[in-house]
Amino acid sequence: MRRGNYGYFLLVLLIFNLFFLSCSSQNKNQVLIWHWMTDRNQAFQKLAKEYEKETGVKVRFEIFFPPNVYAQKVQAAAQAGTLPDIFGILGEKEYLASFVRRNLVVDFSPYFEEKPAWKESFISQALEVSSFSKDNIYRVKAGIYGIPIDFMNIQFLYNKELFKKAGLDPNYPPRNFAEFIAQAKLLHQKLGVEGFICGWGETWLMYSLALDFAFNIMGEKKVLDTFRGKYSYNSPGWVKVFSLFRQMKEAGIIPEGILTMANKEAEEIFANQRAAFSFNGSWCVNVYQKLNPQLNYAPCLIPEVSSAYPRKIWGGAGASFMVNAHSPRKEAAVKFLEWLTQKKQQDFLIRVTNNLPAIKEAPDNLGLVLKEFRKGIDYVTHPNLWPVYEKPKVIEKFTQQLQKVILGEITPAEAAAAVEKVKLRIIKKD
Amino acid sequence: MDKAKKAFLLTLMHTFLISVAVSCIFPLVWMIMSSFKTYQEFIQIPADINTWRGFLHWFLPHKFNLANYISAWRDGNLGMYFLNSVIYTFLAVSGIVFVSSLAGFAFSRLEFWGRDFIFHLFLAAMMIPIPAGFVPLFVLLTRIHLVNTRLGYILAMINVGLSLSIYLFKTFFDNLPRDLEDAARIDGCSKLRIWWNVAFPLAAPATGVVIIFNALNVWNEFILAVIIFADKSKLPLQAGLMEFAGEHIGNEPLIMAGLTIAALPIIVVYLLMQKHIIKGITAGAMVG
């Protein structure tokens, strides 16, 4: 490089520094919202414009993606005290509890006391996801710290078109586990499609299905007692849970790569009619709509394993917004969330994003599949709603053992025993 | 016998090298080919894919369709993010070259108290995983009112790239003959002028290595950018691309077009600088 070039380079550097780089724009008179929901971003922008037209208050939605980076951003902003007016918290309930402990999020309880109708408008489970009751295990002040904007649950899905092709009644999904295995096997053998597909590479999906089965086999009390350390993973109920996964494998209805499959991949396979059954959340309606608008499918509850206890499915608030407790625009932020969760706005969000609404009032424009999903509300449960939670190390061991059972490396009894061993070790340590 | 053994070893080595090259290049070519396909074309898997004919039918686009590129550039607002990335990469890399060449020269040629200790501190910084420093870095930028500013991000990226670059320059300057420096000193050059007129111009191979390493790093960085910036308009290309990919989940050809747009400039930089990289490595920039 010649000497003249260095001078030029330094000059450019100086100009950029002085005139361009250090300007930071921040409008003090607008409500700023951070979120990670790419599927809802356009809808949010429209709603923000609508709100400004109605009230004169400016609202700005800023999206940050992917979700794990968004979560880091929120964490960093919490540390530095630069959280926006409204934001979402991703992660376990303990993580939300840490925000409550540091007094970073607004408790909506006083607002709900003032406007009980607003609180009553929500599906209770959706609200409970971000709520803490008195004497909660997280040891934080009781209150409601998030406003749900939609609702979700995870169910079985079956392809009606493939059912027809295989000579099965498309309005007759399996009611029990034996029927499910038989139908999936028939569809696999007759049509050459996968019997069942799911993104079990994301182990939480496998774990949630296992817990659904556990609730049905043993009932809620025994499952939660297991987490408390009062009921053994060695019990026949848990062994049965492991054996159901083995049965699926032995029936040949799950593909080889299922244990490393991302849910996105599983969604593509189901959307392209290459699998008869799937296990997925209500968010899938939007995904399938994009991948294959012609897909003819329906959700159904998990196939019943036992009639002794009611079936349960994972569900709750799909996404919730929190208000920054230190924001000077706190009141404006709460008002915006109240507006966002009114029926008109919820109807709009459903139409655009194909998610279930967080409010009880039946929406005008719910599609057939979402209507079926909505029926699952009465069966919903979620770790965030339980008074006790299982230790992450036990969950990790549990999913590892499930994988080994599916691969045929160990028996269900051996898997249960290994999980119990870890559980006992943790109890002893505590 | 020896000839046969040599030929066998050569064949073995070349087979290995070709397979490594193919496994590196295939995903890149697949990405570019997919970016020209329509979605329907992309999801179609021919029944005879196991034959060469079937494979080529699947691999190559039926028509070179530019719609994905137009859509990615326009709808994904990639133009704005692209410009940001160009600015960040240019300024951060310039800053890294400027500071690290000066520091490398100082560590190599100047005698001052605590020199080795400070240099080892810089080396130790290389061992810390970058994401571990994001939260404290963010807190620091907030305290000095540089959060959500382009300057803050560029300074942070300069900071990230300094350790390795100082190490590379210092190693290079250590191997430079001192006679050149002595000659410049006799001609009346100060230490700064020796760096400016003698050492830095001679360090072109090391500069090439520093540029390419850091350009790659800054161009592909997005996590720190997402953490630091609150304004979307300041985000770099990779962050915009992530968001774009999130909004178009399932539409792989469109995402591949976006990825190609993001990858091409850095490939061009690499091709332009590769001569210097080889020189830099062979001239001792990489020796410890």
Side-chain angles (χ1 to χ4, degrees), chain A residues 259-331:
Chain A
L259 292 176
T260 51
M261 192 175 282
N263 200 36
K264 186 177 168 292
E265 196 185 335
E267 281 169 344
E268 276 180 8
I269 291 172
F270 188 77
N272 291 316
Q273 318 225 50
R274 287 189 276 130
F277 285 97
S278 185
F279 178 68
N280 209 352
S282 46
W283 62 80
C284 71
V285 179
N286 198 35
V287 178
Y288 295 147
Q289 175 67 28
K290 281 182 184 168
L291 293 174
N292 181 6
Q294 268 75 50
L295 185 69
N296 185 10
Y297 68 106
C300 58
L301 281 179
I302 61 152
E304 198 172 60
V305 183
S306 153
S307 53
Y309 295 99
R311 282 175 286 182
K312 290 275 180 188
I313 53 172
W314 270 30
S320 296
F321 277 133
M322 285 77 193
V323 170
N324 179 357
H326 302 288
S327 162
R329 293 164 293 276
K330 199 162 66 181
E331 297 306 318

Side-chain angles (χ1 to χ4, degrees), chain B residues 68-120:
Chain B
N68 291 325
Y69 283 91
I70 296 166
S71 177
W73 188 264
R74 195 187 49 210
D75 304 340
N77 222 346
L78 295 189
M80 176 182 77
Y81 298 130
F82 190 90
L83 183 68
N84 287 340
S85 273
V86 170
I87 292 169
Y88 299 147
T89 307
F90 174 72
L91 290 178
V93 173
S94 304
I96 290 167
V97 170
F98 181 69
V99 177
S100 62
S101 62
L102 269 171
F105 185 71
F107 282 125
S108 174
R109 289 291 194 262
L110 304 186
E111 293 291 334
F112 55 92
W113 186 83
R115 185 185 72 168
D116 290 345
F117 176 72
I118 298 169
F119 180 65
H120 287 120

Side-chain angles (χ1 to χ4, degrees), chain B residues 206-256:
Chain B
T207 309
V209 177
V210 168
I211 288 176
I212 189 70
F213 276 12
N214 287 293
L216 265 171
N217 188 31
V218 180
W219 186 266
N220 289 328
E221 202 290 323
F222 71 95
I223 301 177
L224 186 62
V226 171
I227 292 172
I228 285 181
F229 292 126
D231 291 344
K232 223 171 118 177
S233 61
K234 291 173 185 167
L235 287 172
L237 183 60
Q238 301 296 339
L241 198 63
M242 282 289 160
E243 188 194 317
F244 179 72
E247 275 178 7
H248 296 89
I249 286 173
N251 194 345
E252 271 83 0
L254 192 60
I255 295 169
M256 293 303 145

Side-chain angles (χ1 to χ4, degrees), chain A residues 120-261:
Chain A
E120 282 307 308
S121 70
F122 289 105
I123 294 168
S124 61
Q125 294 99 322
L127 212 52
E128 279 170 32
V129 166
S130 308
S131 304
F132 293 94
S133 56
K134 218 175 160 190
D135 301 324
N136 58 78
I137 48 169
Y138 304 93
R139 292 172 191 171
V140 296
K141 191 179 154 246
I144 302 165
Y145 294 95
I147 298 295
I149 56 159
D150 54 31
F151 187 77
M152 70 93 186
N153 61 60
I154 307 173
Q155 298 197 35
F156 263 60
L157 304 165
Y158 68 102
N159 185 314
K160 287 183 158 187
E161 217 52 53
L162 293 178
F163 260 53
K164 270 188 226 166
K165 273 189 196 165
L168 294 168
D169 184 349
N171 298 314
Y172 186 81
R175 281 176 304 186
N176 57 52
F177 195 75
E179 260 183 30
F180 159 65
I181 294 282
Q183 287 179 347
K185 213 170 165 178
L186 177 80
L187 284 151
H188 174 60
Q189 286 167 352
K190 225 170 173 179
L191 306 176
V193 296
E194 304 296 351
F196 174 87
I197 200 84
C198 189
W200 283 350
E202 295 167 39
T203 50
W204 70 271
L205 266 170
M206 191 162 57
Y207 184 66
S208 68
L209 179 59
L211 284 196
D212 286 357
F213 285 140
F215 273 101
N216 183 222
I217 295 166
M218 294 174 276
E220 186 171 329
K221 190 178 177 304
K222 278 182 185 165
V223 173
L224 299 186
D225 275 351
T226 314
F227 298 164
R228 289 186 184 102
K230 292 179 181 169
Y231 191 72
S232 170
Y233 275 107
N234 272 326
S235 65
W238 285 106
V239 176
K240 174 84 179 162
V241 171
F242 281 107
S243 70
L244 295 175
F245 286 82
R246 186 71 206 143
Q247 275 184 56
M248 287 166 79
K249 179 66 183 171
E250 280 169 355
I253 62 168
I254 50 178
E256 284 301 322
I258 196 165
L259 292 176
T260 51
M261 192 175 282

Side-chain angles (χ1 to χ4, degrees), chain B residues 18 50 58 90 109 113 125 141 167 219 263 285-286:
Chain B
I18 288 168
N50 292 328
W58 167 78
F90 174 72
R109 289 291 194 262
W113 186 83
L141 288 174
Y167 172 70
W219 186 266
M286 297 294 283

Side-chain angles (χ1 to χ4, degrees), chain A residues 2 11 23 51 64 75 120 148 208 249 271 334 390 416 423:
Chain A
R2 290 201 318 272
L11 188 70
C23 47
Y51 188 67
F64 299 97
Q75 190 195 358
E120 282 307 308
S208 68
K249 179 66 183 171
V334 174
E390 186 53 287
K423 179 77 184 172

